[in-house]
């Protein structure tokens, strides 16, 4: 039995290259079409790994030291109906895993009770014919599915609590202001159905996890959402003149609209021809970090959601960027491949970021905020299964079951893209902090995976440190390693 094998597994704690510490190595033999998904109990700092193949799901319970304390093996739900592992919630020490059909109307849950060694299942049928899926979240001991009602200003939350009880809440946004580019009036549905292909699909609402470093691949999205225990904040940057924030209160189920304008930039020539202007934002610690640029100027501002200015920076083509801590780099080019090079002056950065998909990404480092300013090019190529996952708002890798793993998505590389970026460090008041930036755990993990190409079924999650899990098919082990910033 798998339980006996797992409980007899070998635990290692030796420090090896890349600041990598192997904390658990589990003998495990997986069939084809395998997938791995993790759930985290933040209060107890415990993790449950769900390792599935085409036949079974193995739930492996890890304690705060990432040591295996128990496991359960059960049959995988009908793969013809329930194709996707989409999320979880936690009830005391037990984890409920959610599976869904591609259209999210059929939901199947498995509650893993390690004390009784039982798996309790439950089925739900959602009626979503008049709704479009936007995103999903696991928090507050609840699992949420967010949708927009077709041709309306209504958002809907489908909520599954820790007892498995289902309810739905509707947010009416009829009094909000929705405009497409050039201030064409529309409704919420009209804003969300806009296509920014190939970088962003209609009805995509990218889930930002601010506890992890955010890749520019994520940060350049025009529609993003930020989830915490009390509120869900949706930001929309489809109009370069402002960021529209929709704040959903998850306790009172009320909605608030915030319009945060960006610095004014001339967007037409004297002859009346349009000038390209690019803009985007990132929300963290109740502050909105906005960037805006044309070929003549780059602005970086920090405001609260009421529009109060906290700090403003600017850069021009004929002067160095005073608020950067790294060189300006470019990886790749307009064709496949291309190495990394340093851009020597501000004019190159401002011109390139204006013509690319621009984004700003923020990450806490101690008491400070590390910020990446940059842009990415289009890509005409996508990984296997990515088109399907984008269509349904899914994140991860297609491994027999589509895996819900926002952290792994944050880690995505910039393959087949041109990437231009520069980093800066700022304190809580928005003041620039000078000094050299240290490598992050994500950088160490990327270096490790680059040198170990035979790993598969990878996951990344964070508790006190970052943990990388991967399957070694040759050794038939599932290995968990630890990395620190």
């Amino acid at each position: 039995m798998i339980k006996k094998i797992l409980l007899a597994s070998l635990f290692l704690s030796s420090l090896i290259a890349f600041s990598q510490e192997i904390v658990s190595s589990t003998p495990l033999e997986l069939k084809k079409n395998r997938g791995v998904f993790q759930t985290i109990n933040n209060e107890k700092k415990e993790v449950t790994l769900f390792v599935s193949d085409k036949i079974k799901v193995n739930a492996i319970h890890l304690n705060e030291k990432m040591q295996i304390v128990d496991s359960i093996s059960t049959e995988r739900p009908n793969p013809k109906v329930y194709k996707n592992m989409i999320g979880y919630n936690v009830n005391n020490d037990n984890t409920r895993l959610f599976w869904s059909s591609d259209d999210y109307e059929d939901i199947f849950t498995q509650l893993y009770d390690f004390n009784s060694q039982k798996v309790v299942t439950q089925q739900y049928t959602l009626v979503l014919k008049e709704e479009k899926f936007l995103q999903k979240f696991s928090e507050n001991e609840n699992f949420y599915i967010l949708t927009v009602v077709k041709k309306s200003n209504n958002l809907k939350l489908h909520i599954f609590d820790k007892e498995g009880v289902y309810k739905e809440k509707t947010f009416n946004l009829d009094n909000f202001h929705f405009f497409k580019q050039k201030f064409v009036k529309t409704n919420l549905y009209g804003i969300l159905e806009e296509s920014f292909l190939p970088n962003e699909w209609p009805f995509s609402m990218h889930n930002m996890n601010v506890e992890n470093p955010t890749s520019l691949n994520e940060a350049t999205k025009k529609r993003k959402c930020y989830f915490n225990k009390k509120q869900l904040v949706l930001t929309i940057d489809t109009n370069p003149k402002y960021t529209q924030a929709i704040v959903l209160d998850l306790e009172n189920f009320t909605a608030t609209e915030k319009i945060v304008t960006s610095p004014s930039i001339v967007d037409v020539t004297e002859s009346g021809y349009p000038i390209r202007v690019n803009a985007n934002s990132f929300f963290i610690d109740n502050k909105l970090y906005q960037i805006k640029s044309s070929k003549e100027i780059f602005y970086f501002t920090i405001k609260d959601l009421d529009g109060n200015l906290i700090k403003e920076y600017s850069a021009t083509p004929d002067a160095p960027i005073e608020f950067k801590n790294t060189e300006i780099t470019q990886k790749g080019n307009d064709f496949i491949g291309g190495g990394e090079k340093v851009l020597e002056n501000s004019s190159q950065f401002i011109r390139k970021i204006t013509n690319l998909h621009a984004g700003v990404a923020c990450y806490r480092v101690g008491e400070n905020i590390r910020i990446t300013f940059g842009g990415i090019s289009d890509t005409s190529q996508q990984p296997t299964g990515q088109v399907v996952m984008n269509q349904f708002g899914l994140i991860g890798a297609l491994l027999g079951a589509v895996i819900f793993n926002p952290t792994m998505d944050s880690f995505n590389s910039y393959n087949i893209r041109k990437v231009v970026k520069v980093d800066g460090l700022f304190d809580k008041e928005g003041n620039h902090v000078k000094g050299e930036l240290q490598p992050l755990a994500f950088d160490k993990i990327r270096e490790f995976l680059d040198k170990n190409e035979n790993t598969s079924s990878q996951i990344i999650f964070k508790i006190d440190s970052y943990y990388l899990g991967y399957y070694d098919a040759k050794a038939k082990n599932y290995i968990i390693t630890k990395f620190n910033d």
Side-chain angles (χ1 to χ4, degrees):
M1 291 179 60
I2 186 170
K3 180 181 177 182
K4 293 181 179 179
I5 297 174
L6 292 175
L7 292 178
S9 62
L10 176 65
F11 302 107
L12 303 175
S13 59
S14 59
L15 192 66
I16 61 174
F18 315 111
S19 302
Q20 173 214 11
E21 179 185 348
I22 297 179
V23 294
S24 179
S25 179
T26 304
L28 190 64
E29 184 171 359
L30 295 177
K31 306 297 182 182
K32 293 182 179 180
N33 298 323
R34 56 182 177 265
V36 180
F37 170 65
Q38 88 286 339
T39 67
I40 300 173
N41 185 329
N42 288 308
E43 290 185 3
K44 296 188 175 183
K45 300 187 182 301
E46 297 177 345
V47 172
T48 302
L49 293 182
F50 295 93
V51 185
S52 73
D53 56 27
K54 62 183 180 181
I55 299 173
K56 288 188 175 296
V57 181
N58 303 309
I60 305 169
H61 190 197
L62 309 174
N63 63 17
E64 70 280 2
K65 297 180 180 179
M66 296 301 105
Q67 298 172 334
I68 298 171
V69 293
D70 215 338
S71 69
I72 304 175
S73 178
T74 190
E75 185 178 354
R76 187 196 188 285
N78 184 353
K80 293 182 179 180
V81 178
Y82 305 104
K83 298 181 180 180
N84 315 312
M85 284 190 279
I86 60 170
Y88 69 97
N89 61 9
V90 176
N91 184 356
N92 298 321
D93 292 332
N94 305 320
T95 299
R96 180 180 286 104
L97 180 64
F98 286 78
W99 297 77
S100 83
S101 57
D102 279 338
D103 60 8
Y104 287 91
E105 293 197 353
D106 295 302
I107 304 292
F108 186 90
T109 67
Q110 298 171 314
L111 179 65
Y112 290 80
D113 186 332
F114 287 98
N115 292 325
S116 67
Q117 286 291 297
K118 292 181 179 180
V119 178
V120 179
T121 64
Q122 193 168 351
Q123 293 175 272
Y124 306 82
T125 301
L126 307 185
V127 181
L128 303 180
K129 289 183 179 180
E130 297 302 316
E131 300 171 39
K132 283 283 190 178
F133 170 87
L134 296 176
Q135 195 48 268
K136 51 201 176 312
F137 316 92
S138 294
E139 190 63 80
N140 298 345
E141 298 182 329
N142 294 333
F143 175 65
Y144 302 85
I145 294 176
L146 178 68
T147 64
V148 59
V149 179
K150 292 180 180 180
K151 308 299 180 182
S152 79
N153 289 313
N154 290 347
L155 289 169
K156 189 176 287 188
L157 269 181
H158 300 267
I159 307 169
F160 303 82
D161 71 14
K162 67 177 184 178
E163 303 296 338
V165 176
Y166 165 77
K167 65 181 179 180
E168 59 181 60
K169 293 289 184 178
T170 299
F171 298 85
N172 180 276
L173 311 183
D174 280 343
N175 295 324
F176 290 19
H177 307 84
F178 298 107
F179 297 94
K180 295 184 179 181
Q181 296 185 44
K182 299 182 179 179
F183 291 95
V184 176
K185 187 172 177 59
T186 185
N187 55 18
L188 173 64
Y189 188 86
I191 287 290
L192 298 175
E193 73 176 349
E194 280 192 284
S195 172
F196 300 98
L197 289 172
N199 194 52
E200 195 167 350
W201 286 69
F203 302 106
S204 60
M205 179 63 68
H206 205 83
N207 185 17
M208 311 301 291
N209 184 350
V210 300
E211 299 302 319
N212 300 321
T214 301
S215 72
L216 284 174
N217 186 44
E218 297 175 282
T220 57
K221 309 302 184 187
K222 296 292 188 181
R223 295 174 295 237
K224 298 188 279 285
C225 56
Y226 305 81
F227 190 97
N228 65 35
K229 292 184 177 180
K230 295 184 179 181
Q231 68 180 22
L232 172 62
V233 179
L234 282 61
T235 60
I236 301 171
D237 285 285
T238 54
N239 191 313
K241 293 185 181 295
Y242 60 85
T243 300
Q244 182 176 23
I246 300 170
V247 183
L248 305 181
D249 187 308
L250 299 178
E251 295 180 332
N252 300 318
F253 297 104
T254 57
T256 306
E257 179 186 30
K258 302 288 186 178
I259 301 292
V260 184
T261 59
S262 56
S264 178
I265 290 181
V266 175
D267 56 6
V268 293
T269 65
E270 293 181 356
S271 304
Y273 291 101
I275 296 173
R276 182 175 174 82
V277 175
N278 213 336
N280 216 321
S281 71
F282 194 98
F283 183 67
I284 186 173
D285 295 338
N286 293 315
K287 298 183 184 71
L288 190 69
Y289 294 76
Q290 294 174 297
I291 59 169
K292 188 173 182 178
S293 69
S294 69
K295 65 178 182 179
E296 300 297 334
I297 194 164
F298 174 84
Y299 281 110
F300 165 50
T301 56
I302 307 172
K303 296 183 177 182
D304 62 25
L305 285 186
D306 291 322
N308 299 309
L309 181 65
I310 298 170
K311 209 75 178 178
E312 178 177 286
Y313 298 88
S314 63
T316 58
D318 55 359
I321 300 174
E322 299 292 345
F323 50 91
K324 67 181 179 67
N325 292 69
T326 65
E327 300 282 2
I328 305 167
T329 61
Q330 175 179 315
K331 291 184 180 180
N333 50 43
D334 293 324
F335 305 96
I336 294 177
E340 180 172 328
K341 64 179 181 180
V342 173
L343 302 183
E344 299 295 337
N345 53 60
S346 303
S347 63
Q348 291 175 294
F349 173 76
I350 295 173
R351 175 174 53 82
K352 288 176 182 290
I353 194 176
T354 301
N355 290 320
L356 296 169
H357 299 288
V360 54
C362 304
Y363 175 61
R364 297 186 201 93
V365 179
E367 295 295 314
N368 299 320
I369 299 288
R370 178 169 173 166
I371 300 180
T372 301
F373 311 95
I376 61 174
S377 65
D378 287 330
T379 174
S380 59
Q381 214 169 329
Q382 293 193 337
T384 303
Q386 193 70 43
V387 172
V388 175
M389 287 182 284
N390 284 339
Q391 181 180 355
F392 295 105
L394 298 168
I395 302 169
L398 198 62
L399 300 169
V402 179
I403 307 304
F404 168 85
N405 198 328
T407 309
M408 204 68 208
D409 195 53
S410 301
F411 185 72
N412 279 349
S413 65
Y414 304 122
N415 292 339
I416 324 173
R417 289 185 187 268
K418 176 166 67 178
V419 183
V420 175
K421 69 184 185 75
V422 66
D423 287 55
L425 192 65
F426 301 84
D427 65 20
K428 290 183 177 179
E429 285 71 45
N431 301 303
H432 179 231
V433 178
K434 295 183 179 180
E436 185 177 348
L437 301 183
Q438 300 301 312
L440 300 175
F442 268 35
D443 300 321
K444 301 169 188 176
I445 294 171
R446 183 173 288 109
E447 183 180 359
F448 172 79
L449 291 177
D450 285 344
K451 295 181 180 295
N452 294 269
E453 297 179 352
N454 293 325
T455 64
S456 65
S457 301
Q458 300 151 353
I459 56 168
I460 300 174
F461 56 92
K462 182 182 181 182
I463 303 182
D464 55 334
S465 301
Y466 282 94
Y467 294 88
L468 166 68
Y470 59 90
Y471 184 60
D472 185 333
K474 184 179 292 186
K476 292 184 172 54
N477 277 354
Y478 198 84
I479 299 170
I480 298 175
T481 56
K482 178 179 178 180
F483 294 81
N484 290 304
D485 283 332

